[in-house]
Amino acid sequence: IVECRNLKKRYFQGSVPVDALRGVDLQVEKGDFVSLSGPSGSGKSTLLNVLGGLDNPSEGSVKIAGQDLSQLSKGDLADLRLQRIGFVFQAYNLIPVLSAEENVEFILQLQGVGAAERRQRARMLLAQVGLTGMESRRPAQLSGGQQQRVAVARALAAKPSVVLADEPTANLDSATAESLLSLMAELNQESGITFIVATHDPRVIAHTRRRIVLTDGQIDQDVRVSED
Amino acid sequence: IVECRNLKKRYFQGSVPVDALRGVDLQVEKGDFVSLSGPSGSGKSTLLNVLGGLDNPSEGSVKIAGQDLSQLSKGDLADLRLQRIGFVFQAYNLIPVLSAEENVEFILQLQGVGAAERRQRARMLLAQVGLTGMESRRPAQLSGGQQQRVAVARALAAKPSVVLADEPTANLDSATAESLLSLMAELNQESGITFIVATHDPRVIAHTRRRIVLTDGQIDQDVRVSED
Ligand SMILES: Nc1ncnc2c1ncn2[C@@H]1O[C@H](COP(=O)(O)OP(=O)(O)OP(=O)(O)O)[C@@H](O)[C@H]1O
Ligand SMILES: Nc1ncnc2c1ncn2[C@@H]1O[C@H](COP(=O)(O)OP(=O)(O)OP(=O)(O)O)[C@@H](O)[C@H]1O
Ligand SMILES: [Mg+2]
Ligand SMILES: [Mg+2]
């Protein structure tokens, strides 16, 4: 469901090239639960951004659900992202003037989901990430880990086919991280949602069947582990 | 060097009170290296903000280097923070239009440090957190973990007496986190800088002699471990 070939991403620092991705080949099956780890600066966020159509590669191609992103019009790409991809940003990117609940409902509204269902789904997801009672708070009135969980709830509420999560447990204690992972595992198994999770967290990696390690813009390791 | 008594912090959500701190008593000696852990939402950031004079308590008192923060004028408090306290924010709070190097030098400039020495100190700290070659990049051109390290370098460059670090390794891989902790341990032992580190990271907790656990706005545990 997610596929890329010879993916390269080059930034320019003045005239100096920075090769964030140096030729990444990847195929992720529908229903897979993949962790993507590697040193700080190795290209994890860049890879997720390009896979999610938020950024263009310098070379190579990306296919989501069979569609080549470079062949899509701007409108069609935005549509694909809205309907098919749930993104959890490393810096959350919550809308400061909206409450937690409104932030989660925002994407549902763009998707044309009715008001009653939006509210119910948002409240359920916020409850599932442990934020019952905090629905009307704005991001500035929430702790770092609470903001992180709103960002996760927002990505999941949209019922995407693929979730690209950039370090979703970075600011969470063990118990909260554990319950978030169980929620993701449950959605993966029961709804067939595909997960690609960039992470430094060994607990997250332990929860995944497939473990990819990125180093210096290239895949260093791509192993499948048996169920334990 | 850091002391608080019966510290309380109450927010209001509409008319509903939220007690983020419910009476915290703490005494930290000069040269101590303390970890502050506890569930997401337990009050760690709030405690660091109040200890660092960035926020006022609803009740109780804070003393830094013998000075009662509530007795200081606004100017004297700002001065104390500038000269004595290094703060690493959970969300980094880097200045987007400044480069990494300029972000680190910023505080030194406020402290009146000369241009040549500012440059040298900033470069050394950036090298010590593994960011050699990235000095002229702006935050948006850095990975999450690289931004986090600039925030750490900024706090350390100012040569504070006390460093209050809010989850400084959240976005770092094990090797990078380890080297950051060694740097902090070195500054603690050689320069006598006091560290209070809010964290979910077991590796960080393992590096600290004194471990405080906060739950629901109160200190649940405050233990000293022997050197290992
Ligand atoms: N706009 C840019 N200009 C120059 N270099 C960039 C830019 N954006 C990212 N980079 C560099 O590309 C590399 C990969 O960045 P990326 O954010 O993907 O790393 P990461 O693996 O997500 O790191 P972390 O674990 O710290 O979040 C880094 O070295 C980063 O400094
Ligand atoms: N302005 C505010 N209004 C209402 N409640 C607030 C406000 N700021 C913080 N809180 C609440 O106070 C509690 C403590 O927040 P704090 O940020 O100190 O937690 P934390 O321990 O740092 O959490 P994390 O590990 O997630 O960063 C949280 O439940 C939070 O929702
Ligand atoms: Mg990243
Ligand atoms: Mg916090």
Side-chain angles (χ1 to χ4, degrees):
Chain A
I1 193 167
V2 177
E3 193 179 333
C4 67
R5 259 192 212 136
N6 196 29
L7 213 55
K8 294 185 186 177
K9 180 66 184 178
R10 167 172 283 195
Y11 295 107
F12 279 95
Q13 191 63 30
S15 54
V16 178
V18 178
D19 291 313
L21 296 176
R22 298 164 190 257
V24 174
D25 298 299
L26 184 60
Q27 280 188 339
V28 178
E29 310 292 315
K30 182 159 169 53
D32 229 344
F33 200 132
V34 185
S35 60
L36 174 66
S37 57
S40 168
S42 57
K44 303 180 294 298
S45 296
T46 305
L47 180 56
L48 288 189
N49 290 342
V50 173
L51 289 179
L54 294 166
D55 200 0
N56 294 316
S58 312
E59 266 189 66
S61 61
V62 178
K63 270 192 186 169
I64 302 283
Q67 303 188 48
D68 184 330
L69 300 192
S70 61
Q71 302 304 313
L72 298 176
S73 69
K74 249 191 162 194
D76 286 343
L77 177 59
D79 233 22
L80 177 72
R81 283 211 312 269
L82 180 64
Q83 302 300 336
R84 297 297 217 109
I85 301 170
F87 211 105
V88 185
F89 294 92
Q90 190 165 4
Y92 323 148
N93 293 0
L94 299 179
I95 301 170
V97 297
L98 297 184
S99 70
E101 186 169 23
E102 290 165 339
N103 262 284
V104 175
E105 288 189 29
F106 192 70
I107 298 191
L108 303 180
Q109 193 166 11
L110 292 175
Q111 287 177 336
V113 177
E117 185 181 348
R118 281 202 312 263
R119 168 140 312 169
Q120 191 214 21
R121 243 201 266 176
R123 297 218 159 175
M124 180 173 84
L125 249 327
L126 287 170
Q128 286 177 317
V129 298
L131 295 179
T132 303
M134 312 235 173
E135 297 87 357
S136 53
R137 294 210 205 160
R138 290 187 188 163
Q141 297 165 327
L142 293 171
S143 77
Q146 291 166 345
Q147 291 174 26
Q148 186 154 43
R149 285 181 272 162
V150 175
V152 173
R154 178 177 63 178
L156 300 178
K159 297 200 175 169
S161 309
V162 181
V163 172
L164 303 174
D166 203 344
E167 303 196 30
T169 62
N171 284 285
L172 302 178
D173 54 284
S174 290
T176 312
E178 206 52 50
S179 88
L180 199 78
L181 285 167
S182 305
L183 172 63
M184 291 181 179
E186 186 179 323
L187 289 169
N188 173 246
Q189 274 150 30
E190 296 179 12
S191 314
I193 297 178
T194 306
F195 281 85
I196 303 178
V197 183
T199 184
H200 291 301
D201 193 337
R203 303 167 301 209
V204 176
I205 297 169
H207 264 261
T208 55
R209 293 190 280 286
R210 183 170 171 196
R211 302 167 192 182
I212 295 174
V213 181
L214 202 65
T215 307
D216 229 358
Q218 290 189 305
I219 291 185
D220 221 21
Q221 217 183 96
D222 184 347
V223 294
R224 205 171 269 287
V225 224
S226 52
E227 289 295 339
D228 31 63
Chain B
I1 194 164
V2 176
E3 193 179 332
C4 67
R5 262 197 208 131
N6 196 30
L7 214 54
K8 294 185 184 173
K9 180 66 185 177
R10 166 171 284 194
Y11 295 107
F12 279 95
Q13 193 62 29
S15 54
V16 179
V18 177
D19 291 314
L21 296 177
R22 299 165 188 257
V24 175
D25 298 298
L26 184 60
Q27 279 189 339
V28 178
E29 312 290 317
K30 183 158 169 51
D32 229 344
F33 200 131
V34 185
S35 60
L36 174 65
S37 57
S40 169
S42 57
K44 302 178 297 297
S45 297
T46 304
L47 180 56
L48 288 189
N49 289 342
V50 173
L51 289 179
L54 294 167
D55 200 1
N56 293 315
S58 313
E59 265 189 68
S61 61
V62 179
K63 272 191 185 173
I64 302 283
Q67 302 188 47
D68 185 328
L69 301 192
S70 61
Q71 302 304 312
L72 298 176
S73 70
K74 250 192 164 195
D76 286 342
L77 176 59
D79 233 21
L80 179 71
R81 284 211 310 268
L82 181 65
Q83 301 301 336
R84 297 298 218 114
I85 301 169
F87 211 105
V88 185
F89 295 91
Q90 191 165 4
Y92 324 148
N93 291 359
L94 299 178
I95 300 170
V97 298
L98 297 184
S99 70
E101 186 170 22
E102 289 167 338
N103 262 284
V104 175
E105 288 189 30
F106 191 71
I107 297 191
L108 302 180
Q109 193 166 9
L110 292 175
Q111 286 178 335
V113 177
E117 185 181 349
R118 281 203 311 264
R119 168 140 311 170
Q120 190 212 21
R121 243 200 266 176
R123 298 218 159 175
M124 179 172 86
L125 247 330
L126 287 171
Q128 286 177 316
V129 298
L131 295 179
T132 302
M134 312 236 173
E135 297 87 355
S136 52
R137 294 211 204 159
R138 288 187 190 165
Q141 298 165 327
L142 293 171
S143 78
Q146 290 165 345
Q147 292 174 26
Q148 187 154 42
R149 286 180 271 163
V150 175
V152 173
R154 177 177 64 176
L156 300 178
K159 295 199 178 169
S161 308
V162 181
V163 171
L164 303 174
D166 203 343
E167 304 197 28
T169 62
N171 284 284
L172 301 178
D173 54 283
S174 290
T176 312
E178 205 53 50
S179 88
L180 198 77
L181 285 167
S182 305
L183 173 62
M184 291 183 181
E186 186 179 324
L187 290 169
N188 173 248
Q189 274 151 29
E190 296 181 12
S191 314
I193 297 177
T194 306
F195 282 85
I196 303 177
V197 182
T199 184
H200 291 300
D201 194 338
R203 304 167 299 209
V204 175
I205 297 169
H207 263 263
T208 55
R209 294 190 280 284
R210 184 171 170 193
R211 303 166 191 182
I212 295 174
V213 180
L214 202 65
T215 307
D216 229 359
Q218 288 189 307
I219 292 186
D220 222 21
Q221 217 184 97
D222 185 347
V223 294
R224 205 171 268 288
V225 228
S226 51
E227 290 293 340
D228 31 60

